[in-house]
Amino acid sequence: MVRENVKLFRWHDILFIIINQPFKNILMASKLLWGFTLGLVTGLLLAPEKGSETRKRISRRAADLKDKFDDFIDSVSEKIDSFKNDAEDLAKKPKTEARSFAADKGGVL
């Protein structure tokens, strides 16, 4: 009788851990994010440069990142357009070949 209670108690603990595991992961991720944010703010506040110089540097880097991101988006859209054109050409090819074959055989499609 005592052993059954121990098994149920252990099963309850395991079930509790499994159910609460995603919540613990979210808590850990939020703690890491807060730690990163506090470290970043502390680093900016204790930086050896003046605040105006730091803001200008951050602004320049943000503009550079925006330009790189825009270039990336342009290249991806060009590749998508190229893929779309290739797919359309590939889809038209069997139809033109079938019409050519039918014309050679004297039929009409």
Side-chain angles (χ1 to χ4, degrees), residues 27-47:
L27 283 176
M28 178 61 83
S30 68
K31 288 178 184 179
L32 287 173
L33 183 62
W34 272 108
F36 175 77
T37 304
L38 290 175
L40 182 67
V41 169
T42 303
L44 288 174
L45 291 176
L46 298 176

Side-chain angles (χ1 to χ4, degrees), residues 33-95:
L33 183 62
W34 272 108
F36 175 77
T37 304
L38 290 175
L40 182 67
V41 169
T42 303
L44 288 174
L45 291 176
L46 298 176
E49 297 176 344
K50 293 171 65 177
S52 59
E53 293 174 9
T54 302
R55 286 190 296 274
K56 287 179 185 176
R57 184 170 43 94
I58 290 172
S59 176
R60 282 192 304 266
R61 287 188 181 173
D64 290 342
L65 283 174
K66 181 185 177 298
D67 292 339
K68 287 180 182 179
F69 183 73
D70 289 342
D71 292 341
F72 172 74
I73 294 297
D74 290 340
S75 69
V76 167
S77 64
E78 287 174 5
K79 288 180 182 179
I80 289 173
D81 289 339
S82 173
F83 179 74
K84 179 183 170 188
N85 292 337
D86 290 346
E88 288 174 352
D89 292 342
L90 190 61
K92 289 178 185 177
K93 188 176 179 180
K95 186 176 180 180

